[in-house]
Amino acid sequence: MGALGALKCDVVAAGAAAALALAACGEGGSPGDLFVVERSGTVPGAKLTLRIADDGGAYCNGGDRVELTSEQLLEARELRRALDGDKREEEVPGLAERGLRLPPARGGLPSVFRFRVRSEEGTIAFADNSKAPSDALPRLVKLTRDVAREQCGLAR
């Protein structure tokens, strides 16, 4: 084989390697985030940034990926629909689309945690004792606490 033939083989091999590398990566790049929760509060260990991805991964405080349970991932996807609205029902805007901002409730138990949640459609903010317009906010608080404790090994 001459020099030209060897060069053609090198080019074909490089092209095949590139095609294999792209195929291994999958389409669309990395999975999208369902939402990001930023939690703060008045107790030790309250500070948390929790990013939940659509492929079942979660990231606590910028750390390594941890795996959600199937139930947690399903709950996170349902919560995203509550945040962003159900695209099948366009007349029902999600909480983030409305830019929901809820102050802590007055009287009763004081607020311990504050939450800021970013999703594709916007951001919401609320306290752990805010008067919630739906069951989505208490469910979001529970999911955040469960993932922080179970998968991320945090105290709260």
Side-chain angles (χ1 to χ4, degrees):
M1 175 183 311
L4 188 56
L7 180 61
K8 286 182 184 177
C9 287
D10 287 344
V11 170
V12 170
L20 283 173
L22 286 174
C25 291
E27 292 184 32
S30 62
D33 291 342
L34 293 174
F35 49 83
V36 176
V37 178
E38 295 173 358
R39 183 183 72 186
S40 61
T42 59
V43 295
K47 186 171 173 57
L48 169 66
T49 300
L50 175 63
R51 180 169 63 95
I52 297 183
D54 195 30
D55 69 348
Y59 305 83
C60 293
N61 295 325
D64 292 336
R65 175 190 169 95
V66 294
E67 291 295 323
L68 298 174
T69 66
S70 296
E71 293 81 18
Q72 289 170 331
L73 179 58
L74 291 172
E75 177 69 353
R77 288 176 176 162
E78 285 294 320
L79 288 168
R80 179 172 183 185
R81 279 189 279 285
L83 292 169
D84 291 347
D86 191 336
K87 301 308 177 204
R88 297 168 293 188
E89 300 177 26
E90 291 184 25
E91 70 275 358
V92 181
L95 301 172
E97 288 179 296
R98 293 185 277 170
L100 185 70
R101 303 280 186 272
L102 297 174
R106 295 183 183 197
L109 294 174
S111 170
V112 176
F113 295 105
R114 304 276 178 131
F115 295 86
R116 184 172 178 265
V117 184
R118 294 183 319 240
S119 70
E120 187 174 316
E121 297 296 327
T123 302
I124 66 171
F126 63 97
D128 58 350
N129 71 346
S130 295
K131 300 225 184 294
S134 74
D135 72 337
L137 299 185
R139 289 172 40 217
L140 183 62
V141 169
K142 181 180 182 333
L143 178 66
T144 299
R145 182 176 189 269
D146 290 349
V147 172
R149 293 184 73 188
E150 295 168 17
Q151 278 80 8
C152 301
L154 303 176
R156 302 184 186 279

